[in-house]
Amino acid sequence: MAQDGQQYALASLEKHTSPQSPVEEDAPGVLSSASSTAPVHQPLHADPRRSATVPPSFRESFPQFFVLPHLLSKNAWIFLFATTVVMVVYIWLYLGALWSPMTRVKNVEIMLYNADKGFDYSQTPAPVTQLFQTITHNSSLGSLVRHQVMDPEGPLNHVVSWVDVSDQEGWDRDSLIDQVVKGKYWGVLYLPANFSNNMLSYAPSTASGPATVASIKPIAMEYVFDQGRSYATHSIIEKYISKSMDALSKGVERQLLTSPANQTLLNTMHPVLWIQAIYLSETIMNPVLIYGQNFATYVVFIVLYIGSMLAVFSICKYLPTTVETFGILTLPNETKPTAKRLPKFPALRIVLARFAVATLFSFVHTIFIWMVPQVLDGHQMSEHFSAGYAFAFIWFVGLSFISIIFLLSQLLTVDGFQGPSTMLMILMFTSSGGILDWVLMPGFFRVGVALPFTYGVKGLRSIYFGSRRDEMWLNWVVILGWIVVPALITMALARSEIRLRRQNLRRTASIQAEV
């Protein structure tokens, strides 16, 4: 009886483990020869359509070695696309902002003012006077230069955008320079009152005889520009202005030497005139004396922004969050029934406390960032501002970064805001005019006029070099707006989130209590 039971159990086991090979019996209680050889175990991933004589493939037998097909899921292709877009945006912003600025020099506006009072022939011999009147057509040298510069068909007119204010009343050298210092124009080309008479100093005089090295005066035009406004931009503009004025000087020489009286001029005028007829003298307002300090005006804020990102991430990720959910730091339990209990903090107070911690982080970061330019040898500071003023302004800009990044962390979560925050930093940096001014950049980058990075760079250049210091109030106001507006939005969102989290927690606790 026991033997019959064992045979029945074995037959049942084979029936369940080999569904493809039904058990056949020759007689009741006796197994057939076919069923005796049926396999008891089969591979887990065996293909039911595969013939029993075909062995399973290596991939079917060892699926643990084939990880790649599991990784190349739909999410992998989405991440590939997203990272590619980010890299394209990065390189486009960097290279697009600096690509071929020379093609946009025409956008630069330079004032032209001719203050030349003309030739004074009172001490010039009559033949020389008549010769000059014939060559210049009774015009001043300044008028000839002005005509060449403003000639629409001339080569000089296509270098930059000249704004001729010579015929407007109320202008003098100081008022023109004031326009440059205030940032209304990039520079001014000033033709002085003695421009023509200086040319006559190369001719013989009825009072002192032939011209000598001691008696000649340079025929100089003055170019005035504000270097502290944008060092790199002015380097490009200055290069084009210098080349243009060299071409102008050569043109005046050519005009004199190709005139019918060229031989008389060669015999009459001092030979130094033919070496360089017209000079270009430069007057640099708010000069940049330390080359590296120009970079400091925007590198300071790049580093400060990165520090702000780290501060917000650390505060949101690693500081205690129990104050948000429970309102207590230590929960009493059976082992510690007298555990310290803190009051339930209002949600708004929690948000303000986080901002206060971030402000402290930013303050410490600013100390070390501000200190580096101060301790380097020969650092520059405008006489209108102090080192303390520079510290306060840098910290103020840092607070705007904190406010912006807190908002991004609230909208995109603490684990998801780093990428967009970094892209925003690159956009703000490339569109701030830190390296090149907007005048030499594609029009898209004027979006920086609405971002705080731009006003941080402008403000620090005012503090270091004194450039456009009359607009310092605007820098403070715009940056203040970037502190207040994102902070208010973040507070409203965070307050609602904390309240919702507490409601869910209380609801969960009540359900557990009922159970």
Side-chain angles (χ1 to χ4, degrees):
M1 188 72 181
Q3 183 177 4
D4 293 341
Q6 292 177 357
Q7 292 177 347
Y8 177 77
L10 180 61
S12 300
L13 176 65
E14 291 179 349
K15 180 179 180 179
H16 286 86
T17 56
S18 182
Q20 298 298 326
S21 302
V23 178
E24 298 180 0
E25 296 183 3
D26 296 334
V30 180
L31 298 175
S32 67
S33 59
S35 63
S36 64
T37 60
V40 177
H41 300 288
Q42 290 191 8
L44 295 177
H45 299 281
D47 189 352
R49 294 170 299 179
R50 181 186 297 274
S51 172
T53 59
V54 179
S57 66
F58 183 80
R59 178 174 177 178
E60 293 175 341
S61 300
F62 303 96
Q64 62 271 26
F65 292 110
F66 294 88
V67 181
L68 188 60
H70 298 279
L71 293 180
L72 293 178
S73 61
K74 180 180 179 180
N75 290 339
W77 299 110
I78 294 175
F79 289 142
L80 174 62
F81 175 77
T83 53
T84 303
V85 170
V86 170
M87 300 306 297
V88 170
V89 171
Y90 278 10
I91 194 168
W92 184 85
L93 288 175
Y94 273 125
L95 297 184
L98 307 176
W99 200 263
S100 189
M102 286 75 170
T103 60
R104 302 181 183 90
V105 177
K106 180 64 178 175
N107 298 333
V108 176
E109 290 187 340
I110 304 293
M111 299 179 75
L112 172 64
Y113 187 76
N114 177 27
D116 187 11
K117 295 183 178 180
F119 294 98
D120 181 6
Y121 298 113
S122 59
Q123 294 184 353
T124 305
V128 177
T129 299
Q130 185 177 3
L131 179 63
F132 266 85
Q133 289 176 341
T134 303
I135 295 174
T136 61
H137 304 285
N138 288 324
S139 298
S140 65
L141 181 61
S143 298
L144 297 178
V145 170
R146 175 190 173 191
H147 174 74
Q148 290 198 30
V149 171
M150 299 305 300
D151 183 9
E153 303 299 329
L156 301 179
N157 188 260
H158 300 284
V159 177
V160 296
S161 294
W162 296 99
V163 180
D164 187 7
V165 295
S166 304
D167 296 331
Q168 299 178 15
E169 297 182 358
W171 291 107
D172 56 17
R173 182 178 179 276
D174 292 338
S175 61
L176 293 168
I177 293 177
D178 185 62
Q179 293 291 304
V180 175
V181 172
K182 290 181 178 180
K184 305 298 182 182
Y185 296 92
W186 282 93
V188 56
L189 183 63
Y190 181 75
L191 308 181
N194 58 356
F195 192 56
S196 296
N197 282 332
N198 287 351
M199 188 173 189
L200 283 180
S201 67
Y202 290 84
S205 172
T206 56
S208 58
T212 62
V213 175
S215 64
I216 61 177
K217 300 176 182 179
I219 312 171
M221 301 177 291
E222 183 182 17
Y223 176 58
V224 184
F225 62 95
D226 182 0
Q227 190 177 53
R229 180 179 178 180
S230 178
Y231 183 90
T233 302
H234 273 297
S235 298
I236 296 175
I237 298 173
E238 182 185 4
K239 173 183 175 182
Y240 277 82
I241 293 293
S242 298
K243 286 185 176 181
S244 299
M245 295 305 106
D246 286 342
L248 175 64
S249 177
K250 298 255 189 288
V252 172
E253 294 173 15
R254 189 181 305 107
Q255 182 178 353
L256 295 175
L257 292 176
T258 55
S259 64
N262 60 344
Q263 193 61 42
T264 305
L265 289 173
L266 288 172
N267 296 333
T268 303
M269 307 298 288
H270 193 281
V272 175
L273 175 67
W274 312 115
I275 298 175
Q276 181 74 37
I278 300 176
Y279 293 86
L280 181 68
S281 65
E282 293 183 347
T283 300
I284 303 176
M285 308 301 297
N286 305 314
V288 178
L289 304 179
I290 306 299
Y291 183 71
Q293 196 158 359
N294 171 65
F295 290 99
T297 57
Y298 54 88
V299 172
V300 159
F301 296 117
I302 295 177
V303 177
L304 188 59
Y305 189 94
I306 295 174
S308 301
M309 287 179 59
L310 296 175
V312 172
F313 179 78
S314 302
I315 292 170
C316 297
K317 185 75 173 178
Y318 298 112
L319 293 189
T321 58
T322 51
V323 293
E324 295 183 4
T325 54
F326 299 102
I328 55 179
L329 292 178
T330 305
L331 290 173
N333 50 48
E334 296 179 356
T335 60
K336 294 182 180 180
T338 59
K340 184 178 180 181
R341 183 183 291 271
L342 296 180
K344 180 180 178 181
F345 301 109
L348 182 59
R349 191 177 302 175
I350 295 173
V351 177
L352 290 175
R354 298 179 107 183
F355 270 98
V357 175
T359 300
L360 176 62
F361 275 48
S362 181
F363 182 82
V364 176
H365 293 167
T366 303
I367 291 176
F368 291 95
I369 292 173
W370 161 84
M371 183 178 61
V372 174
Q374 298 297 318
V375 301
L376 291 175
D377 183 46
H379 74 276
Q380 204 172 338
M381 185 70 66
S382 172
E383 60 181 5
H384 303 279
F385 302 98
S386 63
Y389 190 96
F391 174 84
F393 183 76
I394 295 173
W395 185 32
F396 199 67
V397 177
L399 294 180
S400 71
F401 294 160
I402 289 288
S403 184
I404 293 171
I405 297 171
F406 256 129
L407 177 58
L408 291 176
S409 68
Q410 185 65 39
L411 295 173
L412 306 174
T413 73
V414 67
D415 294 319
F417 81 93
Q418 293 93 336
S421 181
T422 304
M423 293 184 65
L424 177 62
M425 180 191 71
I426 295 176
L427 174 62
M428 290 198 299
F429 164 56
T430 55
S431 65
S432 66
I435 300 178
L436 289 177
D437 191 87
W438 300 324
V439 73
L440 298 183
M441 297 168 66
F444 164 80
F445 292 94
R446 291 185 180 272
V447 69
V449 73
L451 301 175
F453 205 105
T454 300
Y455 297 90
V457 172
K458 288 172 58 179
L460 205 54
R461 285 176 175 173
S462 298
I463 296 170
Y464 284 164
F465 313 125
S467 175
R468 306 174 73 177
R469 57 184 178 271
D470 292 340
E471 298 180 1
M472 196 66 199
W473 67 271
L474 179 61
N475 302 327
W476 286 99
V477 170
V478 173
I479 294 170
L480 177 62
W482 277 101
I483 295 175
V484 174
V485 175
L488 292 177
I489 298 175
T490 303
M491 288 180 185
L493 295 176
R495 181 170 176 264
S496 300
E497 181 183 353
I498 293 173
R499 284 185 166 185
L500 180 61
R501 194 181 304 170
R502 287 175 172 173
Q503 291 175 1
N504 294 336
L505 183 63
R506 285 194 295 267
R507 187 180 300 111
T508 304
S510 63
I511 294 175
Q512 292 177 351
E514 293 176 358
V515 174

